[in-house]
CSV table of all heavy atoms in Angstrom, one decimal:
chain,number,residue,atom,x,y,z
A,45,PHE,N,0.8,-1.2,0.0
A,45,PHE,CA,0.0,0.0,0.0
A,45,PHE,C,0.9,1.2,0.0
A,45,PHE,O,1.8,1.3,0.8
A,45,PHE,CB,-0.9,0.0,1.2
A,45,PHE,CG,-1.9,-1.1,1.3
A,45,PHE,CD1,-1.6,-2.3,1.9
A,45,PHE,CD2,-3.2,-0.9,0.8
A,45,PHE,CE1,-2.5,-3.3,1.9
A,45,PHE,CE2,-4.1,-1.9,0.8
A,45,PHE,CZ,-3.8,-3.1,1.4
A,46,ALA,N,0.6,2.2,-0.9
A,46,ALA,CA,1.4,3.4,-0.9
A,46,ALA,C,0.4,4.6,-1.3
A,46,ALA,O,-0.4,4.5,-2.2
A,46,ALA,CB,2.5,3.3,-2.0
A,47,LEU,N,0.6,5.7,-0.5
A,47,LEU,CA,-0.3,6.9,-0.6
A,47,LEU,C,0.6,8.1,-0.6
A,47,LEU,O,1.4,8.3,0.3
A,47,LEU,CB,-1.3,6.9,0.5
A,47,LEU,CG,-2.3,8.1,0.5
A,47,LEU,CD1,-3.4,7.9,-0.5
A,47,LEU,CD2,-2.9,8.3,1.9
A,48,PHE,N,0.4,9.0,-1.6
A,48,PHE,CA,1.1,10.3,-1.6
A,48,PHE,C,0.3,11.3,-0.7
A,48,PHE,O,-0.9,11.4,-0.8
A,48,PHE,CB,1.1,10.9,-3.0
A,48,PHE,CG,1.5,12.3,-3.0
A,48,PHE,CD1,2.8,12.8,-2.9
A,48,PHE,CD2,0.5,13.3,-3.1
A,48,PHE,CE1,3.1,14.1,-2.9
A,48,PHE,CE2,0.8,14.7,-3.0
A,48,PHE,CZ,2.1,15.1,-3.0
A,49,SER,N,1.0,12.0,0.2
A,49,SER,CA,0.5,13.2,0.9
A,49,SER,C,1.7,13.9,1.4
A,49,SER,O,2.4,13.5,2.3
A,49,SER,CB,-0.5,12.8,2.0
A,49,SER,OG,-0.9,14.0,2.7
A,50,GLU,N,1.9,15.1,0.9
A,50,GLU,CA,3.0,16.0,1.4
A,50,GLU,C,2.6,16.7,2.7
A,50,GLU,O,3.4,17.0,3.5
A,50,GLU,CB,3.3,17.0,0.3
A,50,GLU,CG,4.5,17.9,0.7
A,50,GLU,CD,4.8,18.9,-0.5
A,50,GLU,OE1,4.2,18.7,-1.6
A,50,GLU,OE2,5.7,19.7,-0.3
A,51,ILE,N,1.3,16.9,2.9
A,51,ILE,CA,0.8,17.7,4.1
A,51,ILE,C,0.6,16.9,5.3
A,51,ILE,O,0.5,17.3,6.4
A,51,ILE,CB,-0.4,18.5,3.7
A,51,ILE,CG1,-0.7,19.7,4.6
A,51,ILE,CG2,-1.6,17.6,3.6
A,51,ILE,CD1,0.4,20.8,4.5
A,52,ALA,N,0.4,15.5,5.1
A,52,ALA,CA,0.0,14.6,6.2
A,52,ALA,C,1.0,14.6,7.3
A,52,ALA,O,2.3,14.7,7.1
A,52,ALA,CB,-0.2,13.2,5.7
A,53,GLN,N,0.5,14.5,8.5
A,53,GLN,CA,1.3,14.3,9.7
A,53,GLN,C,1.3,12.9,10.2
A,53,GLN,O,2.3,12.4,10.7
A,53,GLN,CB,0.9,15.3,10.8
A,53,GLN,CG,1.0,16.8,10.4
A,53,GLN,CD,0.2,17.7,11.3
A,53,GLN,OE1,-0.6,17.3,12.1
A,53,GLN,NE2,0.5,19.0,11.2
A,54,ARG,N,0.2,12.2,10.1
A,54,ARG,CA,0.0,10.8,10.4
A,54,ARG,C,-1.0,10.2,9.3
A,54,ARG,O,-1.9,10.9,8.9
A,54,ARG,CB,-0.5,10.5,11.8
A,54,ARG,CG,0.4,11.0,12.9
A,54,ARG,CD,-0.2,10.8,14.2
A,54,ARG,NE,-0.1,9.4,14.6
A,54,ARG,CZ,-0.7,8.9,15.8
A,54,ARG,NH1,-1.3,9.7,16.6
A,54,ARG,NH2,-0.5,7.6,16.1
A,55,VAL,N,-0.7,8.9,9.0
A,55,VAL,CA,-1.6,8.3,8.0
A,55,VAL,C,-1.9,6.9,8.5
A,55,VAL,O,-1.0,6.1,9.0
A,55,VAL,CB,-1.0,8.2,6.6
A,55,VAL,CG1,-1.8,7.3,5.7
A,55,VAL,CG2,-0.7,9.6,6.0
A,56,TRP,N,-3.2,6.5,8.5
A,56,TRP,CA,-3.6,5.1,8.8
A,56,TRP,C,-4.3,4.5,7.6
A,56,TRP,O,-5.1,5.0,7.0
A,56,TRP,CB,-4.7,5.2,10.0
A,56,TRP,CG,-4.1,5.6,11.3
A,56,TRP,CD1,-3.5,4.8,12.3
A,56,TRP,CD2,-4.1,7.0,11.8
A,56,TRP,NE1,-3.2,5.6,13.3
A,56,TRP,CE2,-3.5,6.9,13.1
A,56,TRP,CE3,-4.5,8.2,11.3
A,56,TRP,CZ2,-3.3,8.1,13.9
A,56,TRP,CZ3,-4.4,9.3,12.0
A,56,TRP,CH2,-3.8,9.2,13.3
A,57,LEU,N,-3.8,3.3,7.4
A,57,LEU,CA,-4.5,2.4,6.4
A,57,LEU,C,-5.6,1.7,7.2
A,57,LEU,O,-5.4,1.1,8.3
A,57,LEU,CB,-3.6,1.3,5.9
A,57,LEU,CG,-4.2,0.2,5.1
A,57,LEU,CD1,-4.8,0.7,3.8
A,57,LEU,CD2,-3.1,-0.9,4.8
A,58,CYS,N,-6.9,1.7,6.7
A,58,CYS,CA,-8.0,1.2,7.4
A,58,CYS,C,-8.5,0.0,6.6
A,58,CYS,O,-9.0,0.1,5.5
A,58,CYS,CB,-9.1,2.2,7.5
A,58,CYS,SG,-8.6,3.7,8.3
A,59,LEU,N,-8.4,-1.2,7.2
A,59,LEU,CA,-8.9,-2.5,6.6
A,59,LEU,C,-10.3,-2.7,7.1
A,59,LEU,O,-10.5,-2.7,8.3
A,59,LEU,CB,-7.9,-3.6,6.9
A,59,LEU,CG,-6.5,-3.4,6.5
A,59,LEU,CD1,-5.6,-4.5,7.1
A,59,LEU,CD2,-6.3,-3.2,5.0
A,60,LEU,N,-11.2,-3.0,6.2
A,60,LEU,CA,-12.6,-3.1,6.5
A,60,LEU,C,-13.1,-4.5,6.3
A,60,LEU,O,-12.8,-5.2,5.3
A,60,LEU,CB,-13.4,-2.1,5.7
A,60,LEU,CG,-12.9,-0.7,5.7
A,60,LEU,CD1,-13.8,0.1,4.7
A,60,LEU,CD2,-13.0,-0.1,7.1
A,61,ASP,N,-14.0,-5.0,7.2
A,61,ASP,CA,-14.7,-6.3,7.0
A,61,ASP,C,-16.0,-6.0,6.3
A,61,ASP,O,-16.3,-4.9,5.9
A,61,ASP,CB,-14.8,-7.1,8.2
A,61,ASP,CG,-15.7,-6.4,9.3
A,61,ASP,OD1,-16.5,-5.5,8.9
A,61,ASP,OD2,-15.7,-6.9,10.4
A,62,GLU,N,-16.8,-7.1,6.1
A,62,GLU,CA,-18.1,-6.9,5.4
A,62,GLU,C,-19.0,-5.9,6.1
A,62,GLU,O,-19.9,-5.3,5.4
A,62,GLU,CB,-18.7,-8.3,5.2
A,62,GLU,CG,-18.0,-9.2,4.3
A,62,GLU,CD,-18.7,-10.5,4.1
A,62,GLU,OE1,-19.8,-10.7,4.7
A,62,GLU,OE2,-18.2,-11.3,3.3
A,63,ASP,N,-18.9,-5.8,7.4
A,63,ASP,CA,-19.8,-4.9,8.1
A,63,ASP,C,-19.2,-3.5,8.3
A,63,ASP,O,-19.7,-2.7,9.1
A,63,ASP,CB,-20.2,-5.5,9.5
A,63,ASP,CG,-20.9,-6.8,9.3
A,63,ASP,OD1,-21.8,-6.9,8.4
A,63,ASP,OD2,-20.7,-7.8,10.1
A,64,ARG,N,-18.1,-3.3,7.7
A,64,ARG,CA,-17.3,-2.0,7.8
A,64,ARG,C,-16.7,-1.8,9.2
A,64,ARG,O,-16.6,-0.7,9.6
A,64,ARG,CB,-18.2,-0.8,7.4
A,64,ARG,CG,-18.5,-0.8,5.9
A,64,ARG,CD,-17.8,0.3,5.1
A,64,ARG,NE,-18.0,0.1,3.7
A,64,ARG,CZ,-18.0,1.2,2.9
A,64,ARG,NH1,-17.9,2.4,3.3
A,64,ARG,NH2,-18.2,1.0,1.6
A,65,ASN,N,-16.4,-2.9,9.9
A,65,ASN,CA,-15.6,-2.8,11.0
A,65,ASN,C,-14.2,-2.6,10.6
A,65,ASN,O,-13.7,-3.2,9.6
A,65,ASN,CB,-15.7,-4.1,11.9
A,65,ASN,CG,-17.1,-4.4,12.4
A,65,ASN,OD1,-17.7,-3.5,13.0
A,65,ASN,ND2,-17.7,-5.6,12.2
A,66,GLU,N,-13.5,-1.7,11.3
A,66,GLU,CA,-12.3,-1.2,10.9
A,66,GLU,C,-11.1,-1.6,11.7
A,66,GLU,O,-11.1,-1.7,12.9
A,66,GLU,CB,-12.4,0.4,11.0
A,66,GLU,CG,-11.2,1.2,10.6
A,66,GLU,CD,-11.4,2.7,10.9
A,66,GLU,OE1,-12.5,3.0,11.4
A,66,GLU,OE2,-10.6,3.5,10.5
A,67,THR,N,-10.0,-2.1,11.0
A,67,THR,CA,-8.7,-2.4,11.6
A,67,THR,C,-7.7,-1.4,11.1
A,67,THR,O,-7.5,-1.3,9.9
A,67,THR,CB,-8.3,-3.8,11.3
A,67,THR,OG1,-9.2,-4.7,11.8
A,67,THR,CG2,-6.9,-4.1,11.9
A,68,ARG,N,-7.1,-0.6,12.0
A,68,ARG,CA,-6.2,0.5,11.5
A,68,ARG,C,-4.8,0.0,11.6
A,68,ARG,O,-4.4,-0.6,12.5
A,68,ARG,CB,-6.4,1.7,12.4
A,68,ARG,CG,-7.7,2.4,12.2
A,68,ARG,CD,-7.7,3.8,12.9
A,68,ARG,NE,-9.1,4.4,12.9
A,68,ARG,CZ,-9.3,5.6,13.4
A,68,ARG,NH1,-8.4,6.3,13.9
A,68,ARG,NH2,-10.6,6.1,13.3
């Protein structure tokens, strides 16, 4: 996974299950 952001201070990848429960 790779995401561009010059302005970001912190970034979380959020993995979702079928019910949109989130694992960061």
Side-chain angles (χ1 to χ4, degrees):
F45 295 88
L47 179 78
F48 164 83
S49 178
E50 184 175 354
I51 199 68
Q53 296 163 349
R54 298 178 74 184
V55 174
W56 291 272
L57 169 67
C58 305
L59 304 174
L60 310 175
D61 65 16
E62 292 183 358
D63 298 320
R64 293 253 171 146
N65 297 309
E66 175 184 7
T67 300
R68 296 189 184 184

